[in-house]
Amino acid sequence: MSKNLEIPTEEVGASNNEDDQECPTVPPPFDFEAYAKEIASKGEDESLEGNPHTRITPRSGIERVQDKLATMSEGYDASELIAQADTDERVRDTFATIPDGYDAIDLNAARASADAVTAHEMNDRVAAGDYAGALDIANKLVAMDGNDISARVCAETCQMVLRQMYAARIGPLSRVPVVMVPRDQFRWLSIDHRAGFMLSLIDGASTLEMLLDLSAMPELDTLKILSDLAQQRIISFK
Amino acid sequence: MEKVIGIDLGTTNSCVAIVENGAPVVIPNRGGYKTTPSMVAVTEAGKRLVGHIAKRQAITNAENTVYAAKRLIGRKWTSPQVKNSIAMSSYRIVEGPHRDVRIVLREKEFGVPEISAMVLQEMKVIAEDYLGEAVHKAVVTVPAYFNDNQRQATKDAGEIAGLDVIRIINEPTAAALSYGFGRNVEKTVAVYDFGGGTFDISVLEIGAHGVFKVIATAGDTFLGGEDIDARVIDWLVEGFKEEHGIDLRQDRMALQRLKDAAEKAKCELSSVRETEVNLPFIISNGRNEALHLQRTLTRQELEELSSDLIERTIDICKQTLEDAKLEKDEIEEVVLVGGMTRMPKIQASVEQFFEKEPNKGVHPDEVVALGASIQGAALTDDRHQMVLLDVTPHALGIMTFGSYFEELIPQNTTVPTHRTKIFTTSRDHQTAVKILVMQGESERAEDNELLGEFILTGLRRAPKGTVEIEVTFEINADGIVSVRAKDFETGLEQSIQVTATSGLTRDEIKTMMDDAKGDLVDRRTSEEFEAKKQEADKLIAEIEKLFPQVEQIVASSDFGREAIEKAKAIVGKARTAIERRDVAAIKEQIEGLTRTHRMFKGVVAKT
């Protein structure tokens, strides 16, 4: 995710200074840091005690999400699911160092690319509920060794989980997204060129399914971008 | 009376029209647009896209998006046009089993008529949705220079799409028909047609009692509005490169946005003097920062960028008039066709060349389809009598010794016609001659299109140049070409009737028709499912909204509780039917949902 936000979100709409008249009237982007802290403190209050590194249980990762997904119906709000995953201390630790404009998934993925990739780390990521990071490592492992069955299985599972998470956030593919931000204020948004491309495809008539056909990106990437845009309230659905 | 639609099957855009209450009207597509891009794509998931949706992903999925299939239809693999297309197309063009052309999309080979059939089927569906009834018959337009094979291939495309193409007419003729509709015109008219992918100029005589005759036609199949878009794209790309040092051509998403923006800017500049191209987040730089493209393009800059292209069209006009031995003052009216003719610079250039203001009374994007629909109505209604006299779009002749082309029927000869020429043997003691029937304008036989061949045997053994053979070409009113060769001395003769072929066999056409039908059924089923699903979803949402109120009202009675349970069961069944994509079951549940909704509303209203 690009760091394009030139004006701190706290200032958005707060100032009457003329220079700030060009700033967005859009609601500020979703504040992952605050959200993560809120979730973390809630988690500590409710059940988590002691050293955070001892709190990870085998079912805190993919199995837990899969259990949840199995009970999900169409239109289910994935925020609960994501919140659960976010309570893992790894994600919380990461949030503490997140710079403005980043989200946790991207940061983990970026970190993974910098480090040496190992199956151990991949499993850790899954256990931590960081499926995007786990998928990134799994793909690298498969690239290094095409016969790495566990990496292949992990990649497929992560893709399935992520696809369902994003799909749950944006709802049925027959929905039509609309852009909520006036065109002249686009450049103030904190998005990258791929999200910019997706925004250019949203015309108020094309369904999510059509956008998946048009995006020319892997389905998972497109779903993530749409889900992020919806979460940042840059788009909504009619 | 069965309705006949008129289809302008264009290189870049297609349009469908019909005569309603005596007047021709264009039928808009579902998006409200009156033209539909002649593009077909197959997505990674194997889904087929046609029209606007295919165009919107044409660059990001370039290898699997077919555009300008019309340049390939009915052509042989060895044709120079095919070679040109191979060099310029992003999709794969391969040789077919009958020396024809095939297109590969996602590893599957398609015949060119099959691709055009997808566009024609789209136009058929647009018409059927509008009319609310099935459409079976169509008049389809083709460029005046199309040869017999290309015309036959267009007919085959119609057949694959489930349409009986009752007549193929020339595009300039259709434009002139529309221009002359409802008035008694007797004029020599030039039709200047500058579309998205091709340029054509044709001169027609519109005679009394609706007689239309094409007297000259020429053009460039690789010159169109897209070339002007490409100039604007280059201008934007170079400007961005100077500013940021990044070549936007390297990124397909950026290029797709540039293409859309360039076309939009070009169109806008026909009515305003300057326009802003604003593409935020066009690309990210090495530091992962998103960059924006913002430039102002003026009409003057656009005219400078495209001046040589416009000049090329004028040169073709000049050459066409010279070839037809026509003076400019013999042209009484100039009709503008094709979206590009909205450009003020083009209108000015045409006016300057023809020394008269072009007619702007016809809609440049719709005029051809409207003309086709007029012809369709005339063919099914005896009250509308019209005679369309066509000319041979290309010269016809035979190959002679040394691979030369000997012309018998010149280009632009009005049909029906017949011509005869005497030939002699080229070798001593030659007892047989091979007659290769060709179509084209080149003196070199190999540059022309081979239509057919036959051998005349039994010639007297004699020194070369002494045995005389009479060759006769005949084209009847239906455009069928017959060639006869006769030995003067013996009276022996051989003949051939040239049958146009699209390059597809009957079996292939049959298979393609079945595939197209299957796709249409799938599409209709999917559309019906979406419509019924939406109806059911809406009812479910409204019922669920009323549940708390109704439950509260009827909580005290057993009957009420039972009704609530039943309502919940109906909602559950409807949801299951939606999940299974079972259209029949959804329809069934919609009845129950409607009843429940009505009952709930009644209960709430009474309190």
Side-chain angles (χ1 to χ4, degrees):
Chain A
M1 182 113 5
S2 75
K3 275 187 70 183
N4 186 258
L5 196 69
E6 290 158 15
I7 298 159
T9 51
E10 292 80 15
E11 287 176 26
V12 173
S15 170
N16 290 324
N17 185 324
E18 268 189 24
D19 293 343
D20 285 348
Q21 294 299 308
E22 289 177 20
C23 298
T25 54
V26 202
F30 188 78
D31 189 340
F32 279 97
E33 191 177 355
Y35 181 63
K37 280 177 183 164
E38 185 191 319
I39 294 295
S41 61
K42 192 179 166 195
E44 277 170 10
D45 290 346
E46 284 173 5
S47 61
L48 307 176
E49 292 173 359
N51 182 350
H53 291 276
T54 62
R55 287 186 220 125
I56 301 170
T57 64
R59 288 191 70 78
S60 67
I62 203 158
E63 289 169 347
R64 199 181 58 195
V65 177
Q66 281 173 329
D67 291 347
K68 194 74 207 174
L69 285 170
T71 63
M72 274 169 54
S73 60
E74 195 177 64
Y76 178 85
D77 183 356
S79 59
E80 187 193 337
L81 177 71
I82 296 154
Q84 262 185 307
D86 289 349
T87 53
D88 288 319
E89 89 294 334
R90 257 169 201 266
V91 182
R92 266 208 324 278
D93 291 347
T94 306
F95 277 139
T97 58
I98 292 174
D100 285 346
Y102 274 87
D103 77 29
I105 293 171
D106 284 346
L107 195 72
N108 280 337
R111 190 179 277 184
S113 64
D115 299 337
V117 289
T118 64
H120 181 71
E121 192 179 357
M122 177 182 77
N123 293 331
D124 276 357
R125 299 272 171 154
V126 172
D130 172 14
Y131 305 103
L135 175 62
D136 190 43
I137 298 171
N139 285 336
K140 282 177 183 156
L141 290 171
V142 172
M144 286 190 292
D145 176 9
N147 296 321
D148 188 337
I149 302 296
S150 66
R152 275 182 184 278
V153 169
C154 179
E156 278 171 25
T157 313
C158 287
Q159 279 175 3
M160 186 197 73
V161 173
L162 287 167
R163 188 174 291 116
Q164 294 190 48
M165 279 168 66
Y166 299 142
R169 272 184 194 163
I170 60 176
L173 295 182
S174 57
R175 293 173 92 190
V176 175
V178 284
V179 181
M180 302 303 288
V181 184
R183 251 195 95 75
D184 58 350
Q185 291 176 20
F186 271 17
R187 57 169 53 216
W188 301 111
L189 300 172
S190 177
I191 58 174
D192 68 0
H193 71 286
R194 299 203 313 163
F197 176 67
M198 281 311 299
L199 275 187
S200 76
L201 294 176
I202 296 172
D203 58 1
S206 307
T207 61
L208 288 167
E209 192 178 5
M210 286 160 92
L211 295 179
L212 287 176
D213 289 336
L214 293 172
S215 78
M217 286 182 263
E219 189 190 0
L220 199 59
D221 293 9
T222 310
L223 287 171
K224 178 182 177 344
I225 290 168
L226 287 166
S227 152
D228 288 349
L229 288 171
Q231 208 158 18
Q232 290 179 66
R233 287 179 246 168
I234 295 168
I235 61 169
S236 71
F237 301 95
K238 65 175 185 185
Chain B
M1 197 186 308
E2 190 172 359
K3 292 202 164 99
V4 180
I5 53 173
I7 301 176
D8 168 13
L9 179 62
T11 308
T12 46
N13 288 297
S14 293
C15 184
V16 58
I18 191 154
V19 172
E20 269 191 330
N21 304 319
V25 286
V26 165
I27 305 174
N29 62 24
R30 269 181 223 175
Y33 300 102
K34 290 191 171 177
T35 60
T36 301
S38 308
M39 285 195 187
V40 171
V42 178
T43 66
E44 201 178 347
K47 198 166 159 188
R48 189 178 291 176
L49 308 177
V50 183
H52 281 99
I53 192 161
K55 185 178 178 181
R56 289 173 68 193
Q57 52 86 75
I59 292 176
T60 51
N61 181 25
E63 294 87 351
N64 299 293
T65 304
V66 186
Y67 58 91
K70 193 174 166 181
R71 287 179 182 147
L72 298 168
I73 198 164
R75 293 201 187 269
K76 294 217 165 66
W77 173 249
T78 48
S79 142
Q81 292 272 357
V82 173
K83 298 279 170 280
N84 250 340
S85 288
I86 291 170
M88 297 178 75
S89 300
S90 49
Y91 51 90
R92 258 179 75 206
I93 300 169
V94 297
E95 186 175 3
H98 320 296
R99 291 175 61 214
D100 61 327
V101 179
R102 302 283 160 120
I103 292 165
V104 182
L105 297 176
R106 304 264 176 214
E107 306 307 318
K108 189 183 171 196
E109 269 186 28
F110 293 89
V112 183
E114 199 177 3
I115 297 287
S116 293
M118 293 176 201
V119 178
L120 286 174
Q121 193 178 58
E122 185 72 17
M123 308 318 288
K124 181 177 183 270
V125 168
I126 290 169
E128 286 176 344
D129 286 351
Y130 175 81
L131 295 168
E133 61 181 85
V135 172
H136 303 291
K137 289 186 174 172
V139 170
V140 180
T141 62
V142 295
Y145 56 79
F146 257 27
N147 64 29
D148 294 342
N149 291 344
Q150 290 167 299
R151 285 163 200 263
Q152 184 58 46
T154 306
K155 272 191 161 185
D156 287 353
E159 191 179 349
I160 295 165
L163 283 169
D164 174 14
V165 179
I166 57 171
R167 185 67 64 90
I168 293 273
I169 64 168
N170 290 330
E171 285 159 8
T173 306
L177 270 172
S178 183
Y179 160 76
F181 182 73
R183 47 191 177 150
N184 201 8
V185 182
E186 283 183 54
K187 276 181 180 173
T188 301
V189 175
V191 177
Y192 176 99
D193 182 352
F194 199 2
T198 57
F199 169 72
D200 299 309
I201 177 77
S202 308
V203 181
L204 294 99
E205 273 177 10
I206 307 177
H209 314 298
V211 178
F212 293 78
K213 180 180 168 190
V214 180
I215 54 178
T217 185
D220 186 335
T221 49
F222 287 88
L223 174 59
E226 287 191 342
D227 296 296
I228 297 179
D229 296 347
R231 297 284 172 90
V232 177
I233 292 171
D234 288 346
W235 180 79
L236 291 168
V237 166
E238 290 308 319
F240 193 84
K241 203 172 174 183
E242 271 175 33
E243 196 181 340
H244 299 286
I246 295 173
D247 186 357
L248 291 175
R249 287 192 196 87
Q250 305 305 315
D251 186 275
R252 284 190 177 198
M253 286 181 201
L255 205 52
Q256 176 76 57
R257 292 178 71 187
L258 281 169
K259 168 83 178 97
D260 297 342
E263 191 180 340
K264 186 167 167 270
K266 178 190 74 179
C267 293
E268 282 173 358
L269 287 173
S270 291
S271 52
V272 296
R273 293 210 161 264
E274 64 173 46
T275 186
E276 190 180 66
V277 179
N278 186 4
L279 298 171
F281 307 97
I282 186 79
I283 205 158
S284 296
N285 63 13
R287 294 187 300 278
N288 214 23
E289 293 164 338
L291 301 173
H292 316 298
L293 185 151
Q294 191 168 12
R295 280 194 88 179
T296 300
L297 179 66
T298 65
R299 186 185 286 176
Q300 196 185 338
E301 281 168 325
L302 178 70
E303 289 173 359
E304 282 165 16
L305 290 171
S306 51
S307 63
D308 62 313
L309 300 173
I310 297 169
E311 201 48 48
R312 259 168 71 190
T313 69
I314 299 299
D315 289 344
I316 295 169
C317 291
K318 204 184 287 177
Q319 191 62 49
T320 307
L321 291 192
E322 276 176 26
D323 292 348
K325 297 182 177 60
L326 281 164
E327 295 298 327
K328 280 184 210 170
D329 57 11
E330 290 179 71
I331 307 290
E332 293 167 274
E333 192 86 77
V334 182
V335 177
L336 298 179
V337 178
M340 277 318 301
T341 60
R342 285 199 188 87
M343 193 171 164
K345 168 78 174 168
I346 290 176
Q347 292 176 0
S349 300
V350 171
E351 185 173 347
Q352 196 183 359
F353 173 72
F354 285 101
E355 294 164 3
K356 57 177 64 67
E357 195 183 347
N359 180 294
K360 292 171 194 162
V362 295
H363 195 296
D365 295 325
E366 302 171 6
V367 61
V368 174
L370 290 171
S373 73
I374 292 167
Q375 173 66 8
L379 288 168
T380 51
D381 186 348
D382 293 339
R383 287 171 300 171
H384 296 109
Q385 279 297 327
M386 275 183 301
V387 185
L388 304 183
L389 289 182
D390 275 341
V391 293
T392 50
H394 297 285
L396 286 159
I398 62 169
M399 186 167 98
T400 57
F401 183 69
S403 281
Y404 289 106
F405 175 68
E406 184 67 29
E407 183 182 291
L408 272 97
I409 297 181
Q411 189 182 20
N412 293 326
T413 303
T414 308
V415 294
T417 187
H418 69 96
R419 300 282 165 91
T420 299
K421 247 185 192 176
I422 307 292
F423 295 86
T424 60
T425 48
S426 57
R427 279 188 293 111
D428 291 337
H429 311 302
Q430 186 176 343
T431 56
V433 286
K434 192 173 187 179
I435 307 287
L436 292 157
V437 182
M438 311 195 98
Q439 188 170 37
E441 279 67 53
S442 175
E443 285 182 4
R444 288 151 47 89
E446 64 262 36
D447 293 341
N448 296 322
E449 191 96 359
L450 176 69
L451 296 179
E453 59 183 78
F454 63 94
I455 296 169
L456 178 65
T457 54
L459 303 180
R460 174 172 60 89
R461 295 171 72 88
K464 66 178 178 185
T466 52
V467 178
E468 289 188 328
I469 300 135
E470 180 192 70
V471 176
T472 303
F473 270 62
E474 189 178 346
I475 310 175
N476 69 12
D478 293 325
I480 295 172
V481 181
S482 304
V483 183
R484 196 177 66 237
K486 186 178 171 187
D487 179 352
F488 259 153
E489 278 183 17
T490 61
L492 283 172
E493 67 172 59
Q494 278 291 335
S495 66
I496 185 176
Q497 196 176 75
V498 178
T499 315
T501 170
S502 66
L504 299 176
T505 63
R506 284 309 308 169
D507 283 349
E508 283 176 320
I509 292 171
K510 174 83 178 52
T511 309
M512 288 170 187
M513 275 172 73
D514 291 343
D515 287 351
K517 260 187 213 160
D519 283 332
L520 192 61
V521 169
D522 288 350
R523 183 177 157 172
R524 289 289 195 204
T525 309
S526 172
E527 282 170 358
E528 194 183 4
F529 165 73
E530 284 303 330
K532 292 295 164 200
K533 177 182 174 295
Q534 274 183 20
E535 198 181 337
D537 280 343
K538 198 178 162 200
L539 284 165
I540 290 170
E542 284 177 15
I543 291 167
E544 286 187 332
K545 212 165 118 188
L546 292 169
F547 259 133
Q549 271 179 283
V550 176
E551 273 180 311
Q552 207 176 13
I553 295 162
V554 302
S556 52
S557 74
D558 286 345
F559 170 76
R561 279 194 295 275
E562 198 180 310
I564 292 280
E565 288 311 312
K566 274 187 182 170
K568 282 182 178 168
I570 289 169
V571 168
K573 278 182 190 170
R575 282 218 168 99
T576 309
I578 291 170
E579 268 171 39
R580 286 183 186 159
R581 298 180 70 89
D582 184 342
V583 180
I586 299 172
K587 276 185 192 169
E588 206 175 292
Q589 294 310 319
I590 282 174
E591 285 176 29
L593 289 169
T594 310
R595 276 200 305 275
T596 308
H597 183 232
R598 204 182 304 131
M599 183 187 79
F600 274 27
K601 277 209 315 196
V603 170
V604 172
K606 275 184 187 170
T607 57

